[in-house]
Protein backbone atom coordinates (compact mmCIF):
# COMPACT_ATOMS: atom_id res chain seq x y z
CA UNK A 1 0.00 0.00 0.00
CA UNK A 2 1.31 3.45 -0.80
CA UNK A 3 1.93 6.09 1.82
CA UNK A 4 -0.71 8.79 1.84
CA UNK A 5 0.55 11.61 4.03
CA UNK A 6 4.04 13.09 4.01
CA UNK A 7 5.91 15.25 6.48
CA UNK A 8 6.32 18.62 4.73
CA UNK A 9 9.68 20.40 4.91
CA UNK A 10 9.64 23.57 6.98
CA UNK A 11 9.64 26.78 4.90
CA UNK A 12 12.62 28.07 6.99
CA UNK A 13 15.63 26.68 8.82
CA UNK A 14 15.39 25.06 12.24
CA UNK A 15 17.44 27.88 13.75
CA UNK A 16 15.59 30.76 12.08
CA UNK A 17 12.77 31.23 14.61
CA UNK A 18 15.06 32.12 17.50
CA UNK A 19 14.47 33.45 20.09
CA UNK A 20 10.82 32.37 19.83
CA UNK A 21 11.85 28.74 19.31
CA UNK A 22 15.29 27.21 19.66
CA UNK A 23 16.73 24.87 17.03
CA UNK A 24 16.30 21.97 19.44
CA UNK A 25 12.66 22.80 20.25
CA UNK A 26 11.65 23.33 16.62
CA UNK A 27 13.48 20.32 15.19
CA UNK A 28 12.15 17.97 17.88
CA UNK A 29 8.62 19.25 17.33
CA UNK A 30 8.81 18.83 13.56
CA UNK A 31 10.95 15.69 13.20
CA UNK A 32 9.52 13.70 16.11
CA UNK A 33 6.04 14.95 17.02
CA UNK A 34 4.65 16.02 13.65
CA UNK A 35 6.36 13.05 11.99
CA UNK A 36 4.65 10.70 14.44
CA UNK A 37 1.18 11.89 13.43
CA UNK A 38 2.05 11.38 9.75
CA UNK A 39 3.44 7.90 10.40
CA UNK A 40 0.55 6.91 12.66
CA UNK A 41 -2.04 8.10 10.13
CA UNK A 42 -0.36 6.19 7.30
CA UNK A 43 0.05 3.04 9.38
CA UNK A 44 -3.58 3.17 10.47
CA UNK A 45 -4.86 3.62 6.92
CA UNK A 46 -2.71 0.72 5.81
CA UNK A 47 -4.09 -1.47 8.61
CA UNK A 48 -7.68 -0.57 7.68
CA UNK A 49 -7.09 -1.28 4.00
CA UNK A 50 -5.32 -4.55 4.75
CA UNK A 51 -8.15 -5.66 7.01
CA UNK A 52 -10.72 -4.80 4.34
CA UNK A 53 -8.87 -6.72 1.66
CA UNK A 54 -8.49 -9.71 3.96
CA UNK A 55 -12.11 -9.52 5.01
CA UNK A 56 -11.01 -9.47 8.65
CA UNK A 57 -12.81 -7.54 11.35
CA UNK A 58 -11.29 -4.42 12.89
CA UNK A 59 -12.41 -1.99 15.58
CA UNK A 60 -14.17 0.64 13.45
CA UNK A 61 -14.88 2.93 16.39
CA UNK A 62 -11.25 2.97 17.56
CA UNK A 63 -9.99 3.37 13.99
CA UNK A 64 -12.26 6.35 13.30
CA UNK A 65 -11.12 8.07 16.49
CA UNK A 66 -7.45 7.41 15.76
CA UNK A 67 -7.83 8.61 12.18
CA UNK A 68 -9.39 11.91 13.27
CA UNK A 69 -6.68 12.51 15.87
CA UNK A 70 -3.67 11.74 13.70
CA UNK A 71 -4.82 13.28 10.42
CA UNK A 72 -5.98 16.44 12.19
CA UNK A 73 -2.65 16.51 14.03
CA UNK A 74 -0.80 16.35 10.72
CA UNK A 75 -2.94 19.02 9.06
CA UNK A 76 -2.83 21.46 11.99
CA UNK A 77 0.95 21.18 12.24
CA UNK A 78 1.27 21.88 8.51
CA UNK A 79 -0.81 25.04 8.98
CA UNK A 80 1.17 25.99 12.10
CA UNK A 81 4.56 25.88 10.32
CA UNK A 82 3.17 28.12 7.62
CA UNK A 83 1.72 30.50 10.20
CA UNK A 84 5.28 31.33 11.29
CA UNK A 85 8.22 33.16 9.77
CA UNK A 86 11.47 34.68 11.01
CA UNK A 87 10.74 37.94 12.85
CA UNK A 88 10.92 41.08 10.74
CA UNK A 89 10.81 43.42 13.73
CA UNK A 90 8.24 46.11 14.45
CA UNK A 91 4.67 45.50 15.52
CA UNK A 92 4.10 42.71 12.97
CA UNK A 93 0.42 43.55 12.68
CA UNK A 94 -1.48 42.13 9.70
CA UNK A 95 -1.67 44.37 6.63
CA UNK A 96 -3.75 44.08 3.47
CA UNK A 97 -7.13 42.37 3.37
CA UNK A 98 -6.50 40.19 6.43
CA UNK A 99 -5.57 43.29 8.42
CA UNK A 100 -8.72 45.07 7.29
CA UNK A 101 -10.95 42.08 7.96
CA UNK A 102 -9.60 41.49 11.46
CA UNK A 103 -9.98 45.18 12.28
CA UNK A 104 -13.54 45.17 10.89
CA UNK A 105 -14.73 42.03 12.70
CA UNK A 106 -12.84 42.43 15.99
CA UNK A 107 -13.05 46.25 16.21
CA UNK A 108 -9.27 46.58 16.53
CA UNK A 109 -6.30 44.26 16.09
CA UNK A 110 -5.52 44.39 19.83
CA UNK A 111 -8.96 42.98 20.63
CA UNK A 112 -8.32 40.05 18.26
CA UNK A 113 -4.90 39.52 19.81
CA UNK A 114 -6.40 39.55 23.29
CA UNK A 115 -9.11 37.01 22.40
CA UNK A 116 -6.74 34.69 20.52
CA UNK A 117 -4.22 34.86 23.38
CA UNK A 118 -6.97 34.01 25.89
CA UNK A 119 -8.01 31.00 23.79
CA UNK A 120 -4.40 29.80 23.62
CA UNK A 121 -3.50 30.34 27.25
CA UNK A 122 -6.74 28.91 28.69
CA UNK A 123 -6.74 25.70 26.64
CA UNK A 124 -6.95 22.86 29.14
CA UNK A 125 -4.22 20.30 28.57
CA UNK A 126 -3.16 19.84 24.95
CA UNK A 127 -4.67 21.80 22.11
CA UNK A 128 -4.63 24.71 19.72
CA UNK A 129 -5.87 28.24 19.23
CA UNK A 130 -6.85 28.95 15.65
CA UNK A 131 -8.36 31.77 13.65
CA UNK A 132 -10.91 30.36 11.25
CA UNK A 133 -13.39 31.61 8.68
CA UNK A 134 -16.85 30.27 8.00
CA UNK A 135 -17.08 30.08 4.18
CA UNK A 136 -20.87 30.42 4.41
CA UNK A 137 -21.01 33.68 6.36
CA UNK A 138 -17.51 35.08 5.90
CA UNK A 139 -17.27 35.55 9.65
CA UNK A 140 -13.97 35.04 11.42
CA UNK A 141 -14.04 32.84 14.51
CA UNK A 142 -11.42 31.97 17.07
CA UNK A 143 -11.60 28.29 17.99
CA UNK A 144 -10.00 26.54 20.92
CA UNK A 145 -9.27 23.01 19.76
CA UNK A 146 -8.68 20.31 22.37
CA UNK A 147 -6.16 17.64 21.41
CA UNK A 148 -6.12 17.95 17.58
CA UNK A 149 -9.71 17.30 16.78
CA UNK A 150 -12.18 18.35 19.47
CA UNK A 151 -14.23 21.55 19.04
CA UNK A 152 -13.33 21.93 15.37
CA UNK A 153 -16.17 23.15 13.16
CA UNK A 154 -16.62 21.20 9.94
CA UNK A 155 -15.69 23.09 6.77
CA UNK A 156 -14.30 26.19 8.53
CA UNK A 157 -11.07 27.32 6.86
CA UNK A 158 -8.17 27.79 9.25
CA UNK A 159 -6.23 31.00 8.66
CA UNK A 160 -3.79 30.92 11.55
CA UNK A 161 -2.88 28.19 14.05
CA UNK A 162 -0.93 28.14 17.29
CA UNK A 163 0.07 24.84 18.88
CA UNK A 164 -0.21 24.97 22.68
CA UNK A 165 0.67 21.35 23.40
CA UNK A 166 3.49 21.24 25.95
CA UNK A 167 5.66 19.50 23.33
CA UNK A 168 5.53 22.76 21.32
CA UNK A 169 7.25 24.90 23.95
CA UNK A 170 8.40 22.98 27.03
CA UNK A 171 12.12 22.82 26.16
CA UNK A 172 12.27 26.60 25.76
CA UNK A 173 9.61 27.84 28.16
CA UNK A 174 9.08 25.06 30.69
CA UNK A 175 5.56 25.67 32.06
CA UNK A 176 5.35 29.32 30.96
CA UNK A 177 2.81 28.97 28.15
CA UNK A 178 1.81 32.63 28.45
CA UNK A 179 5.35 33.76 27.57
CA UNK A 180 5.43 31.38 24.59
CA UNK A 181 2.11 32.80 23.34
CA UNK A 182 3.32 36.36 23.88
CA UNK A 183 6.49 35.70 21.83
CA UNK A 184 4.47 34.03 19.06
CA UNK A 185 3.08 37.36 17.82
CA UNK A 186 6.45 38.64 16.61
CA UNK A 187 6.88 35.51 14.46
CA UNK A 188 3.46 35.29 12.82
CA UNK A 189 3.52 35.16 9.03
CA UNK A 190 0.28 36.83 7.98
CA UNK A 191 0.67 35.98 4.29
CA UNK A 192 -0.84 32.49 4.72
CA UNK A 193 -3.85 33.98 6.51
CA UNK A 194 -4.21 36.51 3.68
CA UNK A 195 -4.26 33.73 1.07
CA UNK A 196 -6.71 31.56 3.04
CA UNK A 197 -9.02 34.51 3.65
CA UNK A 198 -9.58 34.76 -0.11
CA UNK A 199 -10.74 31.12 -0.36
MN1 LIG B 1 2.61 19.96 18.12
Amino acid sequence: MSKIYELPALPYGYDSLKPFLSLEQLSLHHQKHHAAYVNNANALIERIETARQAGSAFDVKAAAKELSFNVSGHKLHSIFWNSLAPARGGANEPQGKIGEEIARQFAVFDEFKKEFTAAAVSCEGSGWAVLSKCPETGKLHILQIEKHNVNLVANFNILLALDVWEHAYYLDYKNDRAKYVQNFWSFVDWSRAELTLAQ
Side-chain angles (χ1 to χ4, degrees):
M1 300 272 177
S2 59
K3 295 289 181 195
I4 296 174
Y5 296 111
E6 289 183 6
L7 182 68
L10 294 186
Y12 34 72
Y14 286 120
D15 63 349
S16 56
L17 298 185
K18 292 187 289 191
F20 171 49
L21 297 171
S22 67
L23 181 151
E24 192 184 14
Q25 175 71 75
L26 184 56
S27 55
L28 191 75
H29 193 181
H30 179 248
Q31 295 174 347
K32 301 295 181 188
H33 293 278
H34 185 174
Y37 300 123
V38 171
N39 293 337
N40 289 343
N42 288 334
L44 172 68
I45 291 165
E46 203 169 306
R47 284 204 306 277
I48 293 170
E49 291 178 350
T50 301
R52 274 182 202 146
Q53 296 303 321
S56 50
F58 64 98
D59 187 338
V60 174
K61 180 179 168 69
K65 194 172 175 182
E66 201 185 326
L67 186 78
S68 169
F69 178 78
N70 285 291
V71 176
S72 294
H74 163 51
K75 289 180 180 288
L76 282 171
H77 280 92
S78 301
I79 295 169
F80 179 48
W81 308 132
N82 286 294
S83 296
L84 299 171
R88 278 160 289 191
N92 196 32
E93 292 190 8
Q95 309 295 315
K97 289 217 162 25
I98 182 66
E100 288 168 20
E101 204 54 25
I102 287 174
R104 195 174 70 80
Q105 298 201 27
F106 290 84
V108 286
F109 175 69
D110 279 351
E111 176 59 28
F112 160 74
K113 193 172 165 178
K114 196 173 80 185
E115 286 183 31
F116 190 97
T117 296
V121 172
S122 69
C123 186
E124 290 167 357
S126 301
W128 297 77
V130 306
L131 173 65
S132 65
K133 185 182 119 178
C134 175
E136 191 178 340
T137 64
K139 285 197 184 296
L140 300 179
H141 296 288
I142 292 168
L143 303 178
Q144 184 187 68
I145 299 168
E146 293 169 12
K147 296 191 277 187
H148 297 313
N149 50 345
V150 179
N151 295 337
L152 275 171
V153 181
N155 203 36
F156 273 22
N157 294 318
I158 296 176
L159 282 68
L160 181 74
L162 174 59
D163 189 340
V164 292
W165 281 57
E166 281 187 350
H167 73 219
Y169 62 84
Y170 212 82
L171 283 180
D172 289 345
Y173 297 89
K174 300 291 189 289
N175 62 330
D176 195 352
R177 185 193 286 178
K179 182 71 177 169
Y180 161 73
V181 174
Q182 184 189 325
N183 288 352
F184 162 73
W185 294 108
S186 301
F187 289 79
V188 171
D189 182 356
W190 291 103
S191 58
R192 189 193 171 281
E194 174 92 23
L195 288 172
T196 311
L197 182 71
Q199 289 172 357

